[in-house]
Amino acid sequence: MSESFADLFEESLKRSETRIGEVVTAEVVRIEHNFVVVNAGLKSEAYVPLSEFKSDKGELEVQVGEFVSVAIVAMENGYGDTIVSRDTAKRLASWMALEKSLESGEFVTGTTSGKVKGGLTVLVNGIRAFLPGSLVDTRPTKDLTPYENKTLEFKVIKLDRKRNNVVLSRRAVVEASMGEERAKLMSDPWEGVAVKYPVGAKFSGRVTNITDYGAFVELEPGVEGLVHVSEMSWTKKNVHPGKIVASSQEVEVLILDVDEPKRRISLGLKQAQGNPWEVFMDAHPPGSIVEGEIRNITEFGLFIGITADIDGMVHMSDLSWEQPGEAAMADFQKGQIVKAKVLDVDVEKERISLGIKQLASDPAAEVLDKVRKGDVVTCVVTKIESNGIEVKVDDVLTGFIRRAELARDRDAQRPDKFAVGEKVDAKVTAVDRAARRLALTIKGKEVEEEREQMKEYGSVDSGASLGDILGAAIRRRNQGSDE
């Protein structure tokens, strides 16, 4: 032989080196536990890890007999095996597609996967690319949260395969779209916009940009309106617009105002959806019973979740007929399911007033119905204070006798001369039905009794002294008791 074995071996190595990195077509000959075995017409069958043929959901995407593209990694691994990779082939194909898109200007589709310093990362056919924040939209966008985990179109503006660097632009896609639409317009789209979009009418539009102060909605090419953050939602207050709508989302809006000369349209998103407080009031007018979970307990009362988005408030004064507000609140806890009566619905202020004590009749109502100003009632002393005494009438109605009304004589106007549990008779001077309280006087009762006694037993003008009159009244009273 003219050629030595060494020469043939060296020539073989050279041929192998030229093929490493090439993408070839291979047939799937069998599927084993951890490998897919393929035949690429090389020295031997190749074993490819099973994971390279699985989808993102972990499902196997290949069958025996199918042909797949693989990249040659090594012709010989020292054990006689040829090493190929499907992932490498797919990655090479992705790079070639990106290079083609960069040259042609065609758009690519990718999915944003998360925020990084200065922008977002985007996966394009398995290749990680970078989307600068300044190239997300045509308007400056500070908050990139609404653009996370979105599948969008992009333009490749920079590519360096050696450094594994790909830079994309979404702004170029938006500008191209706007340019195409403008080219189609034969006249100014804002001309006659006030007639085309009358105040109070509903229209569908596409969210084009989201800012801290609201969201821009395109009604037609070249015509956008602003949904201010205050008009985004009836129930979600102090929430970033990006938490309510998403970029490119189709939404229904209500025309609130049109300023054609300034090319401004004010839109309402919440107004197009209906006021939930109006809906609630129609379904649950004052006097109806509702049930819900206690979502919050404050120093003023309980907040009860009536619907997913609406809370009603039970003021502490509306918790119990018998207990003071603070004491009654101790009987409730967060997460508890309670029933309540609707007391009032204020649609403009977006407030619902509820009452729990109103589920039962007022135990003091019967007493209030029969007590009148000027009546004398028997009370039981329940509390002694420096400025008077607190009493109960029929165990349900609270009354108060001020210090100056405790006795006719000034020296006897002392709260400490009374004892808790003691019964006293007093005259009603005022009835406060709303507060369920009585204003009472012992002094007034004594004065009236003296006046009546003077009428019955004589007067000072008749020649009898006040002492004689009172003495006669006392003697007559004693005689009556003896009988």
Side-chain angles (χ1 to χ4, degrees), residues 104-131:
S104 65
E106 293 181 358
F107 299 149
V108 298
T109 301
T111 302
T112 57
S113 58
K115 286 187 287 188
V116 293
K117 185 177 181 180
L120 295 166
T121 57
V122 183
L123 287 178
V124 183
N125 292 332
I127 304 296
R128 189 175 297 276
F130 176 62
L131 173 65

PDB file of all heavy atoms in Angstrom, residues 104-131:
ATOM      1  N   SER A 104     -33.506  40.429   7.243  1.00  0.00           N
ATOM      2  CA  SER A 104     -34.730  40.744   6.491  1.00  0.00           C
ATOM      3  C   SER A 104     -35.604  41.795   7.164  1.00  0.00           C
ATOM      4  O   SER A 104     -36.426  42.438   6.507  1.00  0.00           O
ATOM      5  CB  SER A 104     -35.560  39.466   6.282  1.00  0.00           C
ATOM      6  OG  SER A 104     -36.027  38.965   7.531  1.00  0.00           O
ATOM      7  N   GLY A 105     -35.454  41.957   8.486  1.00  0.00           N
ATOM      8  CA  GLY A 105     -36.316  42.890   9.216  1.00  0.00           C
ATOM      9  C   GLY A 105     -37.634  42.280   9.638  1.00  0.00           C
ATOM     10  O   GLY A 105     -38.505  42.970  10.185  1.00  0.00           O
ATOM     11  N   GLU A 106     -37.796  40.976   9.402  1.00  0.00           N
ATOM     12  CA  GLU A 106     -39.037  40.314   9.806  1.00  0.00           C
ATOM     13  C   GLU A 106     -39.122  40.239  11.331  1.00  0.00           C
ATOM     14  O   GLU A 106     -38.100  40.133  12.016  1.00  0.00           O
ATOM     15  CB  GLU A 106     -39.094  38.900   9.223  1.00  0.00           C
ATOM     16  CG  GLU A 106     -39.206  38.855   7.710  1.00  0.00           C
ATOM     17  CD  GLU A 106     -39.278  37.428   7.201  1.00  0.00           C
ATOM     18  OE1 GLU A 106     -39.195  36.501   8.037  1.00  0.00           O
ATOM     19  OE2 GLU A 106     -39.400  37.237   5.971  1.00  0.00           O
ATOM     20  N   PHE A 107     -40.339  40.277  11.817  1.00  0.00           N
ATOM     21  CA  PHE A 107     -40.560  40.216  13.265  1.00  0.00           C
ATOM     22  C   PHE A 107     -40.469  38.769  13.751  1.00  0.00           C
ATOM     23  O   PHE A 107     -40.742  37.826  13.000  1.00  0.00           O
ATOM     24  CB  PHE A 107     -41.927  40.780  13.644  1.00  0.00           C
ATOM     25  CG  PHE A 107     -42.104  42.229  13.256  1.00  0.00           C
ATOM     26  CD1 PHE A 107     -43.349  42.724  12.913  1.00  0.00           C
ATOM     27  CD2 PHE A 107     -41.009  43.090  13.231  1.00  0.00           C
ATOM     28  CE1 PHE A 107     -43.512  44.045  12.557  1.00  0.00           C
ATOM     29  CE2 PHE A 107     -41.157  44.417  12.892  1.00  0.00           C
ATOM     30  CZ  PHE A 107     -42.413  44.899  12.538  1.00  0.00           C
ATOM     31  N   VAL A 108     -40.082  38.619  15.017  1.00  0.00           N
ATOM     32  CA  VAL A 108     -40.040  37.303  15.656  1.00  0.00           C
ATOM     33  C   VAL A 108     -41.010  37.305  16.836  1.00  0.00           C
ATOM     34  O   VAL A 108     -41.334  38.357  17.386  1.00  0.00           O
ATOM     35  CB  VAL A 108     -38.619  36.946  16.147  1.00  0.00           C
ATOM     36  CG1 VAL A 108     -37.663  36.869  14.980  1.00  0.00           C
ATOM     37  CG2 VAL A 108     -38.128  37.964  17.182  1.00  0.00           C
ATOM     38  N   THR A 109     -41.454  36.142  17.215  1.00  0.00           N
ATOM     39  CA  THR A 109     -42.360  36.001  18.354  1.00  0.00           C
ATOM     40  C   THR A 109     -41.589  35.457  19.554  1.00  0.00           C
ATOM     41  O   THR A 109     -40.843  34.481  19.431  1.00  0.00           O
ATOM     42  CB  THR A 109     -43.530  35.062  18.022  1.00  0.00           C
ATOM     43  OG1 THR A 109     -44.252  35.591  16.908  1.00  0.00           O
ATOM     44  CG2 THR A 109     -44.477  34.943  19.214  1.00  0.00           C
ATOM     45  N   GLY A 110     -41.765  36.082  20.689  1.00  0.00           N
ATOM     46  CA  GLY A 110     -41.085  35.637  21.906  1.00  0.00           C
ATOM     47  C   GLY A 110     -41.956  35.860  23.126  1.00  0.00           C
ATOM     48  O   GLY A 110     -42.991  36.532  23.061  1.00  0.00           O
ATOM     49  N   THR A 111     -41.519  35.307  24.244  1.00  0.00           N
ATOM     50  CA  THR A 111     -42.261  35.429  25.503  1.00  0.00           C
ATOM     51  C   THR A 111     -41.373  36.065  26.560  1.00  0.00           C
ATOM     52  O   THR A 111     -40.280  35.567  26.835  1.00  0.00           O
ATOM     53  CB  THR A 111     -42.735  34.049  25.999  1.00  0.00           C
ATOM     54  OG1 THR A 111     -43.546  33.452  24.989  1.00  0.00           O
ATOM     55  CG2 THR A 111     -43.555  34.189  27.284  1.00  0.00           C
ATOM     56  N   THR A 112     -41.855  37.159  27.120  1.00  0.00           N
ATOM     57  CA  THR A 112     -41.097  37.811  28.192  1.00  0.00           C
ATOM     58  C   THR A 112     -41.110  36.912  29.418  1.00  0.00           C
ATOM     59  O   THR A 112     -42.144  36.357  29.780  1.00  0.00           O
ATOM     60  CB  THR A 112     -41.714  39.170  28.551  1.00  0.00           C
ATOM     61  OG1 THR A 112     -43.086  38.986  28.918  1.00  0.00           O
ATOM     62  CG2 THR A 112     -41.637  40.136  27.385  1.00  0.00           C
ATOM     63  N   SER A 113     -39.955  36.777  30.058  1.00  0.00           N
ATOM     64  CA  SER A 113     -39.865  35.834  31.177  1.00  0.00           C
ATOM     65  C   SER A 113     -39.547  36.492  32.513  1.00  0.00           C
ATOM     66  O   SER A 113     -39.622  35.848  33.543  1.00  0.00           O
ATOM     67  CB  SER A 113     -38.799  34.772  30.876  1.00  0.00           C
ATOM     68  OG  SER A 113     -37.540  35.382  30.636  1.00  0.00           O
ATOM     69  N   GLY A 114     -39.187  37.760  32.518  1.00  0.00           N
ATOM     70  CA  GLY A 114     -38.923  38.396  33.804  1.00  0.00           C
ATOM     71  C   GLY A 114     -38.127  39.676  33.644  1.00  0.00           C
ATOM     72  O   GLY A 114     -37.524  39.955  32.606  1.00  0.00           O
ATOM     73  N   LYS A 115     -38.141  40.490  34.718  1.00  0.00           N
ATOM     74  CA  LYS A 115     -37.420  41.756  34.706  1.00  0.00           C
ATOM     75  C   LYS A 115     -35.955  41.551  35.066  1.00  0.00           C
ATOM     76  O   LYS A 115     -35.618  40.740  35.915  1.00  0.00           O
ATOM     77  CB  LYS A 115     -38.071  42.731  35.691  1.00  0.00           C
ATOM     78  CG  LYS A 115     -39.386  43.299  35.209  1.00  0.00           C
ATOM     79  CD  LYS A 115     -39.929  44.377  36.126  1.00  0.00           C
ATOM     80  CE  LYS A 115     -40.472  43.799  37.403  1.00  0.00           C
ATOM     81  NZ  LYS A 115     -41.170  44.800  38.229  1.00  0.00           N
ATOM     82  N   VAL A 116     -35.102  42.309  34.389  1.00  0.00           N
ATOM     83  CA  VAL A 116     -33.684  42.389  34.723  1.00  0.00           C
ATOM     84  C   VAL A 116     -33.329  43.873  34.739  1.00  0.00           C
ATOM     85  O   VAL A 116     -34.156  44.724  34.409  1.00  0.00           O
ATOM     86  CB  VAL A 116     -32.803  41.635  33.697  1.00  0.00           C
ATOM     87  CG1 VAL A 116     -33.049  40.149  33.759  1.00  0.00           C
ATOM     88  CG2 VAL A 116     -33.046  42.157  32.283  1.00  0.00           C
ATOM     89  N   LYS A 117     -32.129  44.185  35.132  1.00  0.00           N
ATOM     90  CA  LYS A 117     -31.715  45.576  35.203  1.00  0.00           C
ATOM     91  C   LYS A 117     -31.817  46.221  33.823  1.00  0.00           C
ATOM     92  O   LYS A 117     -31.188  45.794  32.870  1.00  0.00           O
ATOM     93  CB  LYS A 117     -30.288  45.674  35.725  1.00  0.00           C
ATOM     94  CG  LYS A 117     -29.818  47.112  35.933  1.00  0.00           C
ATOM     95  CD  LYS A 117     -28.424  47.158  36.509  1.00  0.00           C
ATOM     96  CE  LYS A 117     -27.970  48.599  36.728  1.00  0.00           C
ATOM     97  NZ  LYS A 117     -26.596  48.664  37.288  1.00  0.00           N
ATOM     98  N   GLY A 118     -32.629  47.237  33.729  1.00  0.00           N
ATOM     99  CA  GLY A 118     -32.746  47.987  32.479  1.00  0.00           C
ATOM    100  C   GLY A 118     -33.775  47.482  31.502  1.00  0.00           C
ATOM    101  O   GLY A 118     -33.975  48.092  30.453  1.00  0.00           O
ATOM    102  N   GLY A 119     -34.455  46.376  31.805  1.00  0.00           N
ATOM    103  CA  GLY A 119     -35.453  45.881  30.858  1.00  0.00           C
ATOM    104  C   GLY A 119     -35.999  44.525  31.208  1.00  0.00           C
ATOM    105  O   GLY A 119     -36.144  44.175  32.382  1.00  0.00           O
ATOM    106  N   LEU A 120     -36.284  43.730  30.171  1.00  0.00           N
ATOM    107  CA  LEU A 120     -36.898  42.412  30.345  1.00  0.00           C
ATOM    108  C   LEU A 120     -36.104  41.366  29.554  1.00  0.00           C
ATOM    109  O   LEU A 120     -35.493  41.673  28.528  1.00  0.00           O
ATOM    110  CB  LEU A 120     -38.337  42.413  29.828  1.00  0.00           C
ATOM    111  CG  LEU A 120     -39.360  43.297  30.548  1.00  0.00           C
ATOM    112  CD1 LEU A 120     -40.618  43.423  29.697  1.00  0.00           C
ATOM    113  CD2 LEU A 120     -39.708  42.722  31.907  1.00  0.00           C
ATOM    114  N   THR A 121     -36.127  40.125  30.035  1.00  0.00           N
ATOM    115  CA  THR A 121     -35.591  39.022  29.256  1.00  0.00           C
ATOM    116  C   THR A 121     -36.711  38.422  28.419  1.00  0.00           C
ATOM    117  O   THR A 121     -37.867  38.387  28.846  1.00  0.00           O
ATOM    118  CB  THR A 121     -34.989  37.930  30.160  1.00  0.00           C
ATOM    119  OG1 THR A 121     -35.999  37.472  31.069  1.00  0.00           O
ATOM    120  CG2 THR A 121     -33.811  38.468  30.935  1.00  0.00           C
ATOM    121  N   VAL A 122     -36.357  37.950  27.228  1.00  0.00           N
ATOM    122  CA  VAL A 122     -37.338  37.378  26.307  1.00  0.00           C
ATOM    123  C   VAL A 122     -36.781  36.069  25.754  1.00  0.00           C
ATOM    124  O   VAL A 122     -35.614  36.003  25.355  1.00  0.00           O
ATOM    125  CB  VAL A 122     -37.641  38.339  25.140  1.00  0.00           C
ATOM    126  CG1 VAL A 122     -38.726  37.751  24.244  1.00  0.00           C
ATOM    127  CG2 VAL A 122     -38.065  39.707  25.660  1.00  0.00           C
ATOM    128  N   LEU A 123     -37.603  35.029  25.752  1.00  0.00           N
ATOM    129  CA  LEU A 123     -37.214  33.747  25.162  1.00  0.00           C
ATOM    130  C   LEU A 123     -37.776  33.656  23.753  1.00  0.00           C
ATOM    131  O   LEU A 123     -38.988  33.725  23.554  1.00  0.00           O
ATOM    132  CB  LEU A 123     -37.717  32.587  26.017  1.00  0.00           C
ATOM    133  CG  LEU A 123     -36.980  32.346  27.338  1.00  0.00           C
ATOM    134  CD1 LEU A 123     -37.631  31.204  28.099  1.00  0.00           C
ATOM    135  CD2 LEU A 123     -35.510  32.035  27.089  1.00  0.00           C
ATOM    136  N   VAL A 124     -36.866  33.514  22.765  1.00  0.00           N
ATOM    137  CA  VAL A 124     -37.258  33.382  21.358  1.00  0.00           C
ATOM    138  C   VAL A 124     -36.739  32.040  20.859  1.00  0.00           C
ATOM    139  O   VAL A 124     -35.535  31.877  20.623  1.00  0.00           O
ATOM    140  CB  VAL A 124     -36.691  34.532  20.507  1.00  0.00           C
ATOM    141  CG1 VAL A 124     -37.172  34.401  19.066  1.00  0.00           C
ATOM    142  CG2 VAL A 124     -37.083  35.876  21.084  1.00  0.00           C
ATOM    143  N   ASN A 125     -37.623  31.072  20.754  1.00  0.00           N
ATOM    144  CA  ASN A 125     -37.238  29.718  20.321  1.00  0.00           C
ATOM    145  C   ASN A 125     -36.064  29.173  21.127  1.00  0.00           C
ATOM    146  O   ASN A 125     -35.110  28.602  20.586  1.00  0.00           O
ATOM    147  CB  ASN A 125     -36.891  29.712  18.832  1.00  0.00           C
ATOM    148  CG  ASN A 125     -38.101  29.972  17.964  1.00  0.00           C
ATOM    149  OD1 ASN A 125     -39.223  29.661  18.343  1.00  0.00           O
ATOM    150  ND2 ASN A 125     -37.874  30.564  16.799  1.00  0.00           N
ATOM    151  N   GLY A 126     -36.126  29.368  22.445  1.00  0.00           N
ATOM    152  CA  GLY A 126     -35.095  28.833  23.325  1.00  0.00           C
ATOM    153  C   GLY A 126     -33.886  29.728  23.499  1.00  0.00           C
ATOM    154  O   GLY A 126     -33.023  29.454  24.337  1.00  0.00           O
ATOM    155  N   ILE A 127     -33.780  30.812  22.730  1.00  0.00           N
ATOM    156  CA  ILE A 127     -32.668  31.750  22.844  1.00  0.00           C
ATOM    157  C   ILE A 127     -33.070  32.885  23.774  1.00  0.00           C
ATOM    158  O   ILE A 127     -34.128  33.510  23.581  1.00  0.00           O
ATOM    159  CB  ILE A 127     -32.258  32.317  21.472  1.00  0.00           C
ATOM    160  CG1 ILE A 127     -31.919  31.183  20.502  1.00  0.00           C
ATOM    161  CG2 ILE A 127     -31.091  33.278  21.616  1.00  0.00           C
ATOM    162  CD1 ILE A 127     -30.733  30.349  20.897  1.00  0.00           C
ATOM    163  N   ARG A 128     -32.233  33.174  24.766  1.00  0.00           N
ATOM    164  CA  ARG A 128     -32.541  34.250  25.704  1.00  0.00           C
ATOM    165  C   ARG A 128     -32.078  35.585  25.115  1.00  0.00           C
ATOM    166  O   ARG A 128     -30.905  35.759  24.774  1.00  0.00           O
ATOM    167  CB  ARG A 128     -31.848  33.994  27.043  1.00  0.00           C
ATOM    168  CG  ARG A 128     -32.279  34.959  28.150  1.00  0.00           C
ATOM    169  CD  ARG A 128     -31.647  34.561  29.468  1.00  0.00           C
ATOM    170  NE  ARG A 128     -32.090  33.242  29.891  1.00  0.00           N
ATOM    171  CZ  ARG A 128     -33.210  33.019  30.552  1.00  0.00           C
ATOM    172  NH1 ARG A 128     -34.006  34.019  30.869  1.00  0.00           N
ATOM    173  NH2 ARG A 128     -33.535  31.794  30.904  1.00  0.00           N
ATOM    174  N   ALA A 129     -33.009  36.522  24.979  1.00  0.00           N
ATOM    175  CA  ALA A 129     -32.720  37.832  24.412  1.00  0.00           C
ATOM    176  C   ALA A 129     -33.030  38.923  25.440  1.00  0.00           C
ATOM    177  O   ALA A 129     -33.648  38.663  26.476  1.00  0.00           O
ATOM    178  CB  ALA A 129     -33.541  38.040  23.136  1.00  0.00           C
ATOM    179  N   PHE A 130     -32.617  40.148  25.121  1.00  0.00           N
ATOM    180  CA  PHE A 130     -32.800  41.275  26.034  1.00  0.00           C
ATOM    181  C   PHE A 130     -33.671  42.334  25.363  1.00  0.00           C
ATOM    182  O   PHE A 130     -33.438  42.715  24.212  1.00  0.00           O
ATOM    183  CB  PHE A 130     -31.449  41.875  26.417  1.00  0.00           C
ATOM    184  CG  PHE A 130     -31.547  43.111  27.273  1.00  0.00           C
ATOM    185  CD1 PHE A 130     -32.132  43.056  28.537  1.00  0.00           C
ATOM    186  CD2 PHE A 130     -31.066  44.323  26.821  1.00  0.00           C
ATOM    187  CE1 PHE A 130     -32.220  44.192  29.330  1.00  0.00           C
ATOM    188  CE2 PHE A 130     -31.140  45.473  27.607  1.00  0.00           C
ATOM    189  CZ  PHE A 130     -31.728  45.396  28.877  1.00  0.00           C
ATOM    190  N   LEU A 131     -34.703  42.791  26.106  1.00  0.00           N
ATOM    191  CA  LEU A 131     -35.578  43.870  25.647  1.00  0.00           C
ATOM    192  C   LEU A 131     -35.359  45.080  26.546  1.00  0.00           C
ATOM    193  O   LEU A 131     -35.814  45.100  27.696  1.00  0.00           O
ATOM    194  CB  LEU A 131     -37.053  43.433  25.696  1.00  0.00           C
ATOM    195  CG  LEU A 131     -38.093  44.516  25.397  1.00  0.00           C
ATOM    196  CD1 LEU A 131     -37.963  45.010  23.955  1.00  0.00           C
ATOM    197  CD2 LEU A 131     -39.513  43.987  25.646  1.00  0.00           C
TER     198      LEU A 131
END
